[in-house]
Short mmCIF file of all heavy atoms in Angstrom, two decimals:
data_model
loop_
_atom_site.label_atom_id
_atom_site.label_comp_id
_atom_site.label_asym_id
_atom_site.label_seq_id
_atom_site.Cartn_x
_atom_site.Cartn_y
_atom_site.Cartn_z
N PRO A 1 74.46 103.05 107.87
CA PRO A 1 74.18 104.48 107.51
C PRO A 1 75.29 105.37 107.99
O PRO A 1 75.20 106.08 109.07
CB PRO A 1 72.85 104.74 108.29
CG PRO A 1 72.94 103.82 109.43
CD PRO A 1 73.70 102.64 109.03
N TYR A 2 76.38 105.46 107.23
CA TYR A 2 77.52 106.22 107.62
C TYR A 2 77.24 107.68 107.87
O TYR A 2 77.96 108.32 108.72
CB TYR A 2 78.66 106.07 106.54
CG TYR A 2 79.23 104.71 106.36
CD1 TYR A 2 78.98 103.99 105.23
CD2 TYR A 2 80.04 104.12 107.37
CE1 TYR A 2 79.47 102.73 105.05
CE2 TYR A 2 80.50 102.85 107.20
CZ TYR A 2 80.30 102.14 106.03
OH TYR A 2 80.76 100.87 105.90
N ASP A 3 76.29 108.22 107.23
CA ASP A 3 76.00 109.67 107.33
C ASP A 3 75.00 109.98 108.48
O ASP A 3 74.72 111.17 108.78
CB ASP A 3 75.47 110.26 106.10
CG ASP A 3 76.46 110.20 104.99
OD1 ASP A 3 77.67 110.55 105.28
OD2 ASP A 3 76.11 109.78 103.84
N GLU A 4 74.47 108.93 109.18
CA GLU A 4 73.65 109.22 110.33
C GLU A 4 74.44 109.82 111.46
O GLU A 4 75.54 109.28 111.78
CB GLU A 4 72.97 107.84 110.80
CG GLU A 4 72.03 108.06 111.94
CD GLU A 4 71.45 106.68 112.33
OE1 GLU A 4 72.16 105.95 113.05
OE2 GLU A 4 70.32 106.35 111.91
N ALA A 5 73.91 110.86 112.11
CA ALA A 5 74.66 111.52 113.18
C ALA A 5 74.89 110.63 114.41
O ALA A 5 74.03 109.83 114.82
CB ALA A 5 73.80 112.73 113.70
N THR A 6 76.12 110.57 114.82
CA THR A 6 76.52 109.78 116.03
C THR A 6 77.68 110.39 116.59
O THR A 6 78.49 111.15 115.94
CB THR A 6 76.68 108.29 115.63
OG1 THR A 6 76.90 107.54 116.91
CG2 THR A 6 77.93 108.09 114.80
N ASP A 7 78.00 110.12 117.93
CA ASP A 7 79.15 110.72 118.63
C ASP A 7 80.30 109.74 118.78
O ASP A 7 81.41 110.23 118.97
CB ASP A 7 78.70 111.24 119.95
CG ASP A 7 77.58 112.26 119.85
OD1 ASP A 7 77.94 113.38 119.36
OD2 ASP A 7 76.50 112.01 120.25
N LEU A 8 80.00 108.44 118.71
CA LEU A 8 81.08 107.45 118.84
C LEU A 8 80.60 106.20 118.13
O LEU A 8 79.45 105.87 118.14
CB LEU A 8 81.33 107.23 120.30
CG LEU A 8 82.44 106.16 120.58
CD1 LEU A 8 83.84 106.66 120.25
CD2 LEU A 8 82.39 105.73 122.05
N VAL A 9 81.55 105.55 117.52
CA VAL A 9 81.28 104.23 116.89
C VAL A 9 82.17 103.16 117.53
O VAL A 9 83.36 103.41 117.69
CB VAL A 9 81.55 104.28 115.35
CG1 VAL A 9 81.48 102.91 114.68
CG2 VAL A 9 80.49 105.19 114.67
N ALA A 10 81.59 102.05 117.84
CA ALA A 10 82.35 100.92 118.39
C ALA A 10 82.14 99.67 117.50
O ALA A 10 81.03 99.30 117.22
CB ALA A 10 81.87 100.61 119.79
N VAL A 11 83.24 99.08 117.10
CA VAL A 11 83.17 97.94 116.18
C VAL A 11 83.79 96.74 116.88
O VAL A 11 84.91 96.77 117.46
CB VAL A 11 83.96 98.23 114.88
CG1 VAL A 11 83.81 97.08 113.88
CG2 VAL A 11 83.52 99.54 114.28
N ASN A 12 83.11 95.60 116.86
CA ASN A 12 83.62 94.33 117.34
C ASN A 12 84.36 93.61 116.30
O ASN A 12 83.79 93.20 115.27
CB ASN A 12 82.41 93.48 117.83
CG ASN A 12 82.88 92.18 118.43
OD1 ASN A 12 83.85 92.12 119.18
ND2 ASN A 12 82.20 91.00 118.06
N VAL A 13 85.69 93.41 116.53
CA VAL A 13 86.55 92.97 115.43
C VAL A 13 87.08 91.56 115.75
O VAL A 13 87.66 91.32 116.83
CB VAL A 13 87.80 93.94 115.25
CG1 VAL A 13 88.51 93.53 113.98
CG2 VAL A 13 87.28 95.35 115.19
N GLU A 14 86.85 90.59 114.83
CA GLU A 14 87.50 89.31 114.89
C GLU A 14 88.53 89.26 113.66
O GLU A 14 88.53 90.16 112.80
CB GLU A 14 86.51 88.24 114.69
CG GLU A 14 85.47 88.25 115.81
CD GLU A 14 84.34 87.26 115.62
OE1 GLU A 14 84.29 86.66 114.52
OE2 GLU A 14 83.51 87.07 116.49
N THR A 15 89.37 88.29 113.70
CA THR A 15 90.45 88.28 112.71
C THR A 15 89.84 88.22 111.24
O THR A 15 90.31 88.90 110.36
CB THR A 15 91.39 87.10 112.86
OG1 THR A 15 92.04 87.21 114.14
CG2 THR A 15 92.50 86.98 111.85
N TYR A 16 88.85 87.38 111.11
CA TYR A 16 88.24 87.32 109.70
C TYR A 16 87.49 88.49 109.32
O TYR A 16 87.22 88.70 108.14
CB TYR A 16 87.35 86.03 109.66
CG TYR A 16 88.08 84.79 109.32
CD1 TYR A 16 88.05 83.65 110.22
CD2 TYR A 16 88.72 84.64 108.15
CE1 TYR A 16 88.68 82.50 109.93
CE2 TYR A 16 89.46 83.44 107.81
CZ TYR A 16 89.36 82.38 108.69
OH TYR A 16 90.06 81.19 108.45
N THR A 17 87.05 89.37 110.31
CA THR A 17 86.35 90.64 109.92
C THR A 17 87.23 91.83 110.06
O THR A 17 86.73 92.96 109.85
CB THR A 17 85.18 90.82 110.88
OG1 THR A 17 85.64 91.01 112.19
CG2 THR A 17 84.17 89.61 110.83
N ALA A 18 88.56 91.69 110.23
CA ALA A 18 89.43 92.75 110.48
C ALA A 18 89.47 93.74 109.22
O ALA A 18 89.34 94.96 109.34
CB ALA A 18 90.85 92.31 110.73
N LYS A 19 89.61 93.07 107.99
CA LYS A 19 89.60 94.05 106.79
C LYS A 19 88.37 94.82 106.67
O LYS A 19 88.46 96.02 106.37
CB LYS A 19 89.82 93.11 105.61
CG LYS A 19 89.95 93.94 104.31
CD LYS A 19 90.01 93.06 103.00
CE LYS A 19 91.39 92.36 102.94
NZ LYS A 19 91.47 91.68 101.59
N ARG A 20 87.21 94.21 106.85
CA ARG A 20 85.94 94.95 106.76
C ARG A 20 85.81 95.94 107.87
O ARG A 20 85.35 97.08 107.64
CB ARG A 20 84.78 93.91 106.83
CG ARG A 20 83.42 94.66 106.73
CD ARG A 20 83.19 95.34 105.47
NE ARG A 20 81.88 95.99 105.43
CZ ARG A 20 81.46 96.98 104.70
NH1 ARG A 20 82.34 97.50 103.81
NH2 ARG A 20 80.24 97.42 104.72
N SER A 21 86.30 95.61 109.11
CA SER A 21 86.20 96.54 110.23
C SER A 21 86.99 97.76 109.95
O SER A 21 86.57 98.90 110.26
CB SER A 21 86.75 95.79 111.49
OG SER A 21 85.90 94.68 111.78
N TYR A 22 88.23 97.60 109.34
CA TYR A 22 89.01 98.81 109.10
C TYR A 22 88.42 99.67 108.08
O TYR A 22 88.53 100.91 108.12
CB TYR A 22 90.50 98.37 108.68
CG TYR A 22 91.15 97.49 109.80
CD1 TYR A 22 92.28 96.69 109.42
CD2 TYR A 22 90.87 97.58 111.11
CE1 TYR A 22 92.94 95.97 110.37
CE2 TYR A 22 91.52 96.93 112.07
CZ TYR A 22 92.53 96.09 111.73
OH TYR A 22 93.25 95.34 112.64
N HIS A 23 87.73 99.08 107.08
CA HIS A 23 87.08 99.90 106.11
C HIS A 23 85.92 100.71 106.75
O HIS A 23 85.75 101.89 106.46
CB HIS A 23 86.52 98.98 104.99
CG HIS A 23 85.55 99.69 104.03
ND1 HIS A 23 86.03 100.40 102.99
CD2 HIS A 23 84.21 99.83 104.03
CE1 HIS A 23 84.99 100.94 102.27
NE2 HIS A 23 83.87 100.57 102.97
N ILE A 24 85.18 100.02 107.59
CA ILE A 24 84.04 100.73 108.31
C ILE A 24 84.62 101.83 109.18
O ILE A 24 84.06 102.98 109.13
CB ILE A 24 83.24 99.71 109.11
CG1 ILE A 24 82.51 98.72 108.30
CG2 ILE A 24 82.33 100.46 110.10
CD1 ILE A 24 81.94 97.51 108.99
N ALA A 25 85.73 101.57 109.86
CA ALA A 25 86.28 102.57 110.69
C ALA A 25 86.75 103.81 109.83
O ALA A 25 86.54 105.02 110.27
CB ALA A 25 87.47 102.04 111.50
N ARG A 26 87.32 103.56 108.72
CA ARG A 26 87.80 104.59 107.87
C ARG A 26 86.60 105.48 107.35
O ARG A 26 86.79 106.72 107.35
CB ARG A 26 88.53 104.04 106.60
CG ARG A 26 89.13 105.05 105.69
CD ARG A 26 90.08 104.45 104.65
NE ARG A 26 89.41 103.51 103.78
CZ ARG A 26 89.60 102.17 103.88
NH1 ARG A 26 90.44 101.67 104.73
NH2 ARG A 26 88.97 101.38 103.03
N GLU A 27 85.54 104.92 107.00
CA GLU A 27 84.39 105.59 106.58
C GLU A 27 83.88 106.62 107.60
O GLU A 27 83.60 107.78 107.31
CB GLU A 27 83.26 104.70 106.13
CG GLU A 27 83.49 103.90 104.85
CD GLU A 27 83.48 104.79 103.62
OE1 GLU A 27 82.81 105.81 103.64
OE2 GLU A 27 84.12 104.40 102.62
N TYR A 28 83.78 106.12 108.85
CA TYR A 28 83.37 106.98 109.88
C TYR A 28 84.33 108.08 110.25
O TYR A 28 84.07 109.30 110.46
CB TYR A 28 83.02 106.18 111.18
CG TYR A 28 81.66 105.59 111.17
CD1 TYR A 28 81.49 104.24 110.98
CD2 TYR A 28 80.53 106.41 111.28
CE1 TYR A 28 80.15 103.73 111.00
CE2 TYR A 28 79.26 105.88 111.27
CZ TYR A 28 79.06 104.49 111.14
OH TYR A 28 77.77 103.99 111.09
N ARG A 29 85.63 107.72 110.29
CA ARG A 29 86.63 108.70 110.69
C ARG A 29 86.76 109.79 109.67
O ARG A 29 87.09 110.94 109.92
CB ARG A 29 88.01 107.95 110.89
CG ARG A 29 88.01 106.99 112.04
CD ARG A 29 89.28 106.30 112.23
NE ARG A 29 90.21 107.08 112.92
CZ ARG A 29 91.59 106.77 112.97
NH1 ARG A 29 92.06 105.81 112.20
NH2 ARG A 29 92.34 107.60 113.63
N GLN A 30 86.57 109.46 108.33
CA GLN A 30 86.56 110.40 107.34
C GLN A 30 85.54 111.52 107.52
O GLN A 30 85.57 112.58 106.99
CB GLN A 30 86.46 109.77 105.97
CG GLN A 30 87.70 109.05 105.49
CD GLN A 30 87.49 108.32 104.12
OE1 GLN A 30 86.42 108.12 103.69
NE2 GLN A 30 88.65 107.89 103.53
N ARG A 31 84.45 111.09 108.22
CA ARG A 31 83.29 111.93 108.50
C ARG A 31 83.48 112.62 109.86
O ARG A 31 82.56 113.32 110.38
CB ARG A 31 82.03 111.22 108.46
CG ARG A 31 81.60 110.70 107.06
CD ARG A 31 80.52 109.65 107.11
NE ARG A 31 79.99 109.27 105.82
CZ ARG A 31 80.56 108.54 104.89
NH1 ARG A 31 81.74 108.02 105.14
NH2 ARG A 31 79.99 108.26 103.74
N GLY A 32 84.62 112.47 110.53
CA GLY A 32 84.94 113.15 111.72
C GLY A 32 84.36 112.45 113.03
O GLY A 32 84.35 113.06 114.05
N VAL A 33 83.88 111.21 112.85
CA VAL A 33 83.34 110.49 113.94
C VAL A 33 84.47 109.60 114.55
O VAL A 33 85.09 108.78 113.86
CB VAL A 33 82.13 109.67 113.52
CG1 VAL A 33 81.61 108.85 114.70
CG2 VAL A 33 81.05 110.52 112.91
N PRO A 34 84.69 109.71 115.87
CA PRO A 34 85.72 108.83 116.49
C PRO A 34 85.29 107.43 116.56
O PRO A 34 84.07 107.09 116.70
CB PRO A 34 85.88 109.45 117.89
CG PRO A 34 84.59 110.10 118.15
CD PRO A 34 84.15 110.62 116.86
N VAL A 35 86.28 106.46 116.44
CA VAL A 35 85.96 105.01 116.35
C VAL A 35 86.84 104.27 117.37
O VAL A 35 88.07 104.57 117.50
CB VAL A 35 86.23 104.47 114.97
CG1 VAL A 35 86.06 102.91 114.92
CG2 VAL A 35 85.35 105.12 113.88
N VAL A 36 86.19 103.42 118.08
CA VAL A 36 86.87 102.50 119.05
C VAL A 36 86.70 101.07 118.52
O VAL A 36 85.67 100.70 118.20
CB VAL A 36 86.48 102.64 120.45
CG1 VAL A 36 84.88 102.48 120.59
CG2 VAL A 36 87.17 101.74 121.42
N LEU A 37 87.83 100.33 118.45
CA LEU A 37 87.76 98.99 118.05
C LEU A 37 88.10 98.10 119.23
O LEU A 37 89.08 98.33 119.98
CB LEU A 37 88.87 98.66 116.88
CG LEU A 37 88.76 99.50 115.69
CD1 LEU A 37 89.90 99.12 114.65
CD2 LEU A 37 87.41 99.30 114.96
N GLY A 38 87.31 97.00 119.34
CA GLY A 38 87.58 96.05 120.45
C GLY A 38 87.25 94.62 120.01
O GLY A 38 86.82 94.40 118.86
N GLY A 39 87.50 93.65 120.86
CA GLY A 39 87.31 92.25 120.49
C GLY A 39 88.58 91.49 120.42
O GLY A 39 89.62 91.89 120.88
N TYR A 40 88.47 90.29 119.92
CA TYR A 40 89.62 89.36 119.92
C TYR A 40 90.76 89.93 119.15
O TYR A 40 91.93 89.94 119.59
CB TYR A 40 89.22 88.04 119.26
CG TYR A 40 88.42 87.12 120.13
CD1 TYR A 40 87.10 87.12 120.17
CD2 TYR A 40 89.13 86.27 121.06
CE1 TYR A 40 86.35 86.24 120.98
CE2 TYR A 40 88.43 85.38 121.87
CZ TYR A 40 87.03 85.43 121.84
OH TYR A 40 86.38 84.54 122.68
N HIS A 41 90.49 90.43 117.94
CA HIS A 41 91.65 90.86 117.09
C HIS A 41 92.41 92.02 117.58
O HIS A 41 93.68 91.99 117.67
CB HIS A 41 91.11 91.13 115.65
CG HIS A 41 92.21 91.19 114.61
ND1 HIS A 41 92.88 90.12 114.15
CD2 HIS A 41 92.75 92.22 113.94
CE1 HIS A 41 93.74 90.44 113.22
NE2 HIS A 41 93.74 91.78 113.12
N PRO A 42 91.76 93.16 117.99
CA PRO A 42 92.55 94.23 118.56
C PRO A 42 93.30 93.86 119.85
O PRO A 42 94.32 94.45 120.15
CB PRO A 42 91.48 95.31 118.84
CG PRO A 42 90.40 94.98 117.91
CD PRO A 42 90.40 93.46 117.85
N THR A 43 92.79 92.92 120.57
CA THR A 43 93.48 92.46 121.77
C THR A 43 94.78 91.65 121.45
O THR A 43 95.77 91.79 122.10
CB THR A 43 92.57 91.59 122.66
OG1 THR A 43 91.42 92.37 123.10
CG2 THR A 43 93.33 91.03 123.87
N LEU A 44 94.69 90.90 120.35
CA LEU A 44 95.87 90.06 119.95
C LEU A 44 96.85 90.78 119.12
O LEU A 44 98.04 90.45 119.09
CB LEU A 44 95.33 88.78 119.27
CG LEU A 44 94.45 87.93 120.12
CD1 LEU A 44 93.90 86.75 119.32
CD2 LEU A 44 95.18 87.41 121.35
N VAL A 45 96.40 91.83 118.39
CA VAL A 45 97.34 92.58 117.55
C VAL A 45 96.96 94.06 117.69
O VAL A 45 96.52 94.75 116.80
CB VAL A 45 97.25 92.24 116.04
CG1 VAL A 45 98.00 90.98 115.77
CG2 VAL A 45 95.83 92.10 115.54
N PRO A 46 97.17 94.66 118.90
CA PRO A 46 96.82 96.00 119.19
C PRO A 46 97.52 97.07 118.46
O PRO A 46 96.89 98.10 118.05
CB PRO A 46 97.15 96.18 120.70
CG PRO A 46 98.21 95.08 120.95
CD PRO A 46 97.91 93.97 120.09
#
């Protein structure tokens, strides 16, 4: 529910989910919601 009110979004990212994670992050950021990415993939390719 991208339009549900929230103050911060955190996404757990693995290499196989990176493409989808970046799409999800873009949807929230376009709505002005800050996004933090963590997990294996951001650690290995920050």
Side-chain angles (χ1 to χ4, degrees):
Y2 293 111
D3 293 318
E4 181 180 81
T6 188
D7 299 294
L8 180 69
V9 170
V11 185
N12 180 41
V13 190
E14 299 173 355
T15 299
Y16 275 119
T17 65
K19 182 186 287 189
R20 178 61 179 162
S21 299
Y22 297 160
H23 171 83
I24 293 169
R26 182 169 63 251
E27 289 290 332
Y28 276 110
R29 296 178 81 196
Q30 288 174 348
R31 292 164 170 78
V33 180
V35 174
V36 56
L37 301 179
Y40 282 93
H41 195 73
T43 297
L44 299 176
V45 283

